[in-house]
Amino acid sequence: MSRSTTDSASSVTLPTPKERRRLREALALSEEQVAEAMGVTKATVKAWETGRSSPRGRKREAYAKLLGASEAAEATRASSGASGTPPGASGASSASGASGASASAKPDREPQPAPSPAPAPVKPVPREPVLPSVNVRPKAAVKRAAKPPGAPSAVRAVAPGPARKGAPKPQERLKPAAAEPAPAPEPARPPAAPGLTPEQAFDALYAYAAPGLVHQTYLLTGRRRLSRESVEYAFHHAWEHWPEVAVDADPVGWVRAAAYEYALSPWHRLRRAHKHPDSPPTEANRRALLAALLELPPPYRRTVLLYDGLGLDLPDTAAETEASTPAAANRLLHARTVLGQRIPELAEPEALHRRLRALVSEAPTATLPAARVVRTGSERRTRRWTRTALGVTAVLICVTAFTAATAPTRYLPVEVPGETVNGVPVRGGPQKLGPEDVELRDRLRSQPNPGPERLIPSAE
């Protein structure tokens, strides 16, 4: 591959990870189909859609063509050039912008007919995706992708799953939400003026999102102290990775995911301060709803809060909980069923959506430290961990050097000194001969024994 080809392939702009998932579902493609078309594994495609990695080289260009992102970028540049507006002046690009651009009109000029047109990348005919638990058509997915971030989804439909206790009937499909005067959706990011320093941008994000996140985390855990600790940890983590958070399409979602993961960690059960939830509120309706939420498993509780409480659509909810769209839909169905059984007036999805929306949008009352305290605490903790790591590394190096310097060059077996052993019998056999015994022995050997003649055999 030449250098020019590599540079052109690497310059292809890909949509955000959430938008990649939306575009794939809009084309009615599964992860296995995309992996087979790109020549990679399903895990690699999942990593591309969660943002853990991105394709490079020719695969990046092919992936952009498969999703239709390159055509959308060319159409946007052509329309901005025709109107005399410089690229990027029409507003910041968001996760829904790429899908909206792909559905926009092409340039005005008519393509010249060619006798042998170049083969275009084959795209599958849009069809209804076969999902075990989601009733989402490609057109609905395209409309959802074209909506601005944070807009409440009108799709409340989830296809039938396997028959089980508490699950809806196979013919049941959740109805679209009734047209109701819903509150205005919250923006995905705080308003930020150009030219802000990293510290000012972090302080603005903290002041905008921290109080609401503490209230949401309390609804997830039922523990006020743990909710404040989770939000502080999330913002500590965000300041440590601020270059990544600053360019993220949804920084509030980034911090929210970190706070939820920390708050729902099962290790908090081993801490005495967070072993039991706090005392429930005095209001009967809130107490019943919070008790019913806390009875749900943590993934189900998080899914219903994101979907019905915050108004995220199903793909965004699945991406934030790191689950597939069918799994998120099944969790949502189960959570709604359990909440409807516990609180009969919330059996309808619209009623549950209104109650959770009102509960989430309550004015937070938690007192949090200042943003500067959170930033300095994060920096202090980073310095402490860095110094600890350097100290441990230096100690290991010193111990290794001392051991290498003092170790013997060859092995010398250790000689064990003799010891007196008791209980062993005296050595047997004849005793040592004295002088008289030696003289008698010599005389017996030299002189024959007096007495009768011995019988000596003769040779005759």
Side-chain angles (χ1 to χ4, degrees), residues 289-369:
L289 182 54
L290 286 178
L293 282 175
L294 293 179
E295 287 184 359
L296 294 173
Y300 296 75
R301 196 186 317 158
R302 183 177 178 181
T303 300
V304 73
L305 182 63
L306 290 174
Y307 189 82
D308 284 329
L310 298 180
L312 299 184
D313 56 5
L314 203 56
D316 285 346
T317 302
E320 187 160 330
T321 56
E322 295 185 356
S324 62
T325 305
N330 284 329
R331 291 175 181 176
L332 180 63
L333 275 178
H334 179 78
R336 286 178 171 179
T337 303
V338 173
L339 292 178
Q341 292 174 353
R342 289 295 306 273
I343 309 175
E345 58 267 21
L346 300 182
E348 291 295 328
E350 293 81 4
L352 177 62
H353 175 70
R354 286 194 299 268
R355 178 74 66 83
L356 283 178
R357 189 75 176 183
L359 193 62
V360 170
S361 59
E362 290 180 353
T365 58
T367 56
L368 294 172

Side-chain angles (χ1 to χ4, degrees), residues 217 220 230 233-234 254-268 302 319-322:
T217 312
L220 277 179
S230 303
Y233 167 82
W254 197 101
V255 180
R256 179 177 62 233
Y260 286 6
E261 289 290 342
Y262 183 85
L264 296 177
S265 174
W267 295 105
H268 294 307
R302 183 177 178 181
E320 187 160 330
T321 56
E322 295 185 356

Side-chain angles (χ1 to χ4, degrees), residues 110-119:
E110 290 291 332
Q112 297 296 332
S116 58

Side-chain angles (χ1 to χ4, degrees), residues 208-424:
Y208 172 79
L213 287 179
V214 171
H215 183 60
Q216 298 168 24
T217 312
Y218 168 70
L219 297 179
L220 277 179
T221 60
R223 298 162 175 82
R224 296 179 178 85
R225 183 176 175 183
L226 178 59
S227 62
R228 291 192 295 268
E229 180 182 335
S230 303
V231 174
E232 289 183 18
Y233 167 82
F235 276 97
H236 284 168
H237 196 58
W239 182 243
E240 293 174 3
H241 301 80
W242 184 248
E244 176 185 349
V245 181
V247 300
D248 193 87
D250 185 12
V252 178
W254 197 101
V255 180
R256 179 177 62 233
Y260 286 6
E261 289 290 342
Y262 183 85
L264 296 177
S265 174
W267 295 105
H268 294 307
R269 302 174 184 175
L270 304 179
R271 303 171 60 182
R272 181 176 300 179
H274 305 319
K275 191 173 183 180
H276 301 287
D278 298 343
S279 57
T282 57
E283 187 179 351
N285 293 335
R286 292 189 58 189
R287 181 170 63 251
L289 182 54
L290 286 178
L293 282 175
L294 293 179
E295 287 184 359
L296 294 173
Y300 296 75
R301 196 186 317 158
R302 183 177 178 181
T303 300
V304 73
L305 182 63
L306 290 174
Y307 189 82
D308 284 329
L310 298 180
L312 299 184
D313 56 5
L314 203 56
D316 285 346
T317 302
E320 187 160 330
T321 56
E322 295 185 356
S324 62
T325 305
N330 284 329
R331 291 175 181 176
L332 180 63
L333 275 178
H334 179 78
R336 286 178 171 179
T337 303
V338 173
L339 292 178
Q341 292 174 353
R342 289 295 306 273
I343 309 175
E345 58 267 21
L346 300 182
E348 291 295 328
E350 293 81 4
L352 177 62
H353 175 70
R354 286 194 299 268
R355 178 74 66 83
L356 283 178
R357 189 75 176 183
L359 193 62
V360 170
S361 59
E362 290 180 353
T365 58
T367 56
L368 294 172
R372 182 178 57 84
V373 177
V374 175
R375 282 192 287 104
T376 54
S378 176
E379 295 170 357
R380 187 164 52 249
R381 187 179 65 172
T382 303
R383 287 194 298 267
R384 182 170 63 250
W385 280 107
T386 304
R387 291 172 182 172
T388 302
L390 292 177
V392 172
T393 305
V395 169
L396 290 177
I397 292 175
C398 293
V399 171
T400 305
F402 177 78
T403 304
T406 58
T409 57
R410 59 192 184 88
Y411 176 72
L412 297 177
V414 179
E415 295 183 1
V416 182
E419 297 181 357
T420 302
V421 180
N422 297 325
V424 179

Side-chain angles (χ1 to χ4, degrees), residues 95-139:
S96 61
S99 63
S102 64
S104 62
K106 299 295 180 181
D108 297 336
R109 60 184 181 86
E110 290 291 332
Q112 297 296 332
S116 58
V122 179
K123 296 183 179 180
V125 179
R127 56 183 178 82
E128 183 176 1
V130 181
L131 298 176
S133 59
V134 185
N135 181 23
V136 181
R137 290 181 178 273
K139 293 183 179 180

